[in-house]
Amino acid sequence: MILLKSIPKVDKFITHEAFEGLSKTLVTKISKEVIENLRNNILNETIKEINEQSLISEVLQNYENLISPSLKSVINATGIIVHTNLGRSLLDENSLKKTIQIATTYNNLEYDLNEGKRGERYAHITKTLKALTNCEDAIVVNNNASAVFLILNTFCKNKEVVVSRGELVEIGGSFRVPEVMTQSGAILKEIGTTNKTHLRDYENAINEKTSMLMKVHKSNYSIEGFSSEVSFEEIVEVAQKNNIIDYYDMGSGHMIDLPYNLNKNEPSILEIMQYNPSLLSFSGDKLLGSVQAGIIIGKKELIEKIKKNQLLRMLRVDKITLALLEDTLNSYLKNDLEQIPTLKMLFASTETLEQRATKLKEKIEDIYNCEVIKTSTMVGGGTTPNKKIPSIALSLEYKNYKPNQLEKLLRKNLIISRIENEKVLLDFRTIQENELEKLENILKGLFN
Ligand SMILES: *Cc1c(COP(=O)(O)O)cnc(C)c1O
């Protein structure tokens, strides 16, 4: 095997000038792999000659793939506002600027500046949440799934929690409410049927082992037709009468009334708070429009107990989360809703969207066959399931490209579109105003 003898030696190979300025450690590691691969290919005779230049290119290519960031910015042209696969809620640039200031300096995360001694990290958001929701106390954890787990673990370990079968949902990413509940140590007491649960089902389920009546928001489906569920208001009443805890996992809780009549079946956090509930939890990065977090609000004595649960340490949030969340909550307090991108998108008028779509159309219609159309989209992220909201899209066609070919090409260029009625649509509900120029340039560049 004469070819085996000509395999480059790694020590020498890595000194090639093509690798100048690169990390020697990484070049060596990749070169070893590439050369080992070459050796195997010679042995199994899939390679008949050695080309050093192509080996160098391969190493450089692998190097580039490894060091280039995997997490990339994309243009969301799907129209789904709280898009779980695309990072859920966008953060406000000013909130991030304030957060950079906090995170790049020392801060009073757990330091009481008045007393000069240890403080509590949760204190930073409780005053705002109290002012906003009239809750007695609040706490924040890593996400809403942790909030559910922590609450059940604190109050229902080896005790019964009553929940309707119609609410034992699986939420995207295989988060199954019944499994999370069981893993927390709670004993699940399922009541009712998939389509009907009555108040008397709750009442009949209560015994001396019952610790909690729980309601779970049906985030990604709705039951139509012959169905009934018990309102949280009634659940609170029964729980209080029996001296047990009521808890509503709201999923995507919203702080303000929603447009397009979405509020009809989706009471806001403030409306729910009027029932004087024991505990509520909701996500920070769904309709609230902030950072990933799970927010728990409710009765002071219950929150105190949660704070004493050792698990909290594992689920606790970082200063970056707290700084971002505090800033979003402050925007609500000041009624500065323009600062919350998720709400800005939700409330944008179709006239505004149409203007933007028309502007883009005029810029690219000499290349593409395109049309501004009325369409509808959804909020996403497990909010208002199956409810459509109006939107405006630009339909896009290019020569004899099939819709899925065009969609794929756009995707390779970091534009995520959707296909409807055999056409690629760019939905303007989720395209940011400051992305329009970039979008135009990418679209022009594709077929130039
Ligand atoms: C989304 C959701 C969760 C999980 O919240 P995360 O913030 O994603 O952890 C839990 N319960 C319900 C009802 C939800 O909609």
Side-chain angles (χ1 to χ4, degrees), residues 111-293:
Y111 188 70
D112 186 327
L113 289 169
N114 288 325
E115 304 287 330
K117 60 178 193 196
R118 190 196 162 96
E120 199 194 64
R121 69 174 58 213
Y122 306 104
H124 303 289
I125 43 94
T126 39
K127 86 172 188 299
T128 325
L129 280 168
K130 278 186 200 170
L132 271 174
T133 69
N134 297 318
C135 65
E136 288 180 14
D137 206 354
I139 193 163
V140 178
V141 287
N142 196 31
N143 52 21
N144 188 37
S146 339
V148 174
F149 188 84
L150 184 63
I151 287 174
L152 293 174
N153 181 268
T154 307
F155 301 107
C156 307
K157 201 169 174 192
N158 303 322
K159 292 191 192 129
E160 288 183 6
V161 50
V162 179
V163 65
S164 160
R165 286 198 174 87
E167 295 169 3
L168 291 174
V169 296
E170 171 170 327
I171 296 151
S174 71
F175 174 84
R176 284 190 164 166
V177 171
E179 278 162 35
V180 173
M181 292 177 74
T182 309
Q183 288 207 6
S184 71
I187 302 165
L188 215 65
K189 180 96 177 184
E190 300 174 22
I191 56 164
T193 57
T194 306
N195 60 334
K196 284 206 173 204
T197 301
H198 305 280
L199 190 61
R200 61 171 185 275
D201 293 325
Y202 285 92
E203 288 168 328
N204 293 341
I206 297 172
N207 61 53
E208 67 281 1
K209 281 198 296 196
T210 310
S211 160
M212 175 184 285
L213 305 184
M214 177 180 182
K215 188 171 177 65
V216 184
H217 185 263
K218 288 197 284 289
S219 293
N220 44 12
Y221 74 111
S222 55
I223 299 177
E224 310 284 331
F226 188 66
S227 68
S228 67
E229 62 177 305
V230 180
S231 75
F232 187 58
E233 182 176 13
E234 293 170 289
I235 293 175
V236 172
E237 220 171 277
V238 175
Q240 288 181 353
K241 221 186 287 166
N242 289 277
N243 214 8
I244 53 180
I245 300 165
D246 56 85
Y247 164 41
Y248 189 6
D249 168 16
M250 295 185 73
S252 170
H254 52 281
M255 206 59 93
I256 55 160
D257 286 351
L258 302 176
Y260 315 113
N261 217 7
L262 292 175
N263 243 67
K264 207 172 120 238
N265 301 311
E266 301 273 345
S268 69
I269 297 163
L270 300 190
E271 284 171 86
I272 298 282
M273 282 306 287
Q274 289 173 1
Y275 311 145
N276 194 20
S278 309
L279 291 169
L280 299 182
S281 77
F282 49 92
S283 294
D285 57 350
K286 289 184 178 172
L287 260 187
L288 192 74
S290 190
V291 67
Q292 177 187 305

Side-chain angles (χ1 to χ4, degrees), residues 245-441:
I245 300 165
D246 56 85
Y247 164 41
Y248 189 6
D249 168 16
M250 295 185 73
S252 170
H254 52 281
M255 206 59 93
I256 55 160
D257 286 351
L258 302 176
Y260 315 113
N261 217 7
L262 292 175
N263 243 67
K264 207 172 120 238
N265 301 311
E266 301 273 345
S268 69
I269 297 163
L270 300 190
E271 284 171 86
I272 298 282
M273 282 306 287
Q274 289 173 1
Y275 311 145
N276 194 20
S278 309
L279 291 169
L280 299 182
S281 77
F282 49 92
S283 294
D285 57 350
K286 289 184 178 172
L287 260 187
L288 192 74
S290 190
V291 67
Q292 177 187 305
I295 300 163
I296 304 171
I297 59 177
K299 297 265 187 280
K300 190 168 182 61
E301 54 157 322
L302 299 177
I303 303 278
E304 290 293 338
K305 286 207 174 116
I306 294 174
K307 283 183 186 167
K308 292 203 179 98
N309 189 331
Q310 287 294 316
L311 265 176
L312 178 60
R313 176 67 185 226
M314 288 155 244
L315 307 173
R316 75 177 189 182
V317 286
D318 177 55
K319 56 184 175 287
I320 296 178
T321 298
L322 284 168
L324 288 166
L325 187 60
E326 183 184 25
D327 201 59
T328 310
L329 294 173
N330 255 325
S331 296
Y332 279 105
L333 269 185
K334 295 182 287 187
N335 204 25
D336 235 352
L337 303 183
E338 283 285 300
Q339 301 294 317
I340 303 172
T342 297
L343 295 183
K344 220 170 136 180
M345 280 183 258
L346 184 61
F347 281 91
S349 72
T350 45
E351 288 76 25
T352 304
L353 304 183
E354 191 170 347
Q355 276 168 16
R356 292 177 190 165
T358 308
K359 216 166 115 189
L360 181 64
K361 174 183 188 270
E362 286 163 2
K363 296 264 171 63
I364 61 166
E365 62 191 345
D366 52 333
I367 306 175
Y368 297 88
N369 186 6
C370 51
E371 219 180 323
V372 176
I373 60 162
K374 287 190 166 65
T375 182
S376 60
T377 182
M378 286 191 281
V379 178
T383 39
T384 60
N386 300 336
K387 296 283 185 305
K388 299 274 185 190
I389 60 171
S391 191
I392 297 290
L394 191 61
S395 71
L396 214 56
E397 287 172 296
Y398 182 76
K399 293 194 177 153
N400 54 357
Y401 268 64
K402 296 214 162 53
N404 58 345
Q405 279 179 305
L406 189 55
E407 181 277 334
K408 188 173 171 188
L409 183 63
L410 291 172
R411 180 156 37 88
K412 295 277 174 221
N413 287 275
L414 306 178
I415 301 169
I416 316 297
S417 61
R418 73 167 194 263
I419 298 173
E420 213 171 273
N421 300 328
E422 294 294 301
K423 277 189 188 150
V424 169
L425 298 189
L426 302 177
D427 192 316
F428 276 70
R429 181 62 67 188
T430 48
I431 299 172
Q432 308 303 297
E433 200 179 359
N434 63 10
E435 288 172 339
L436 291 174
E437 207 179 305
K438 183 175 160 192
L439 183 58
E440 177 192 332
N441 290 335

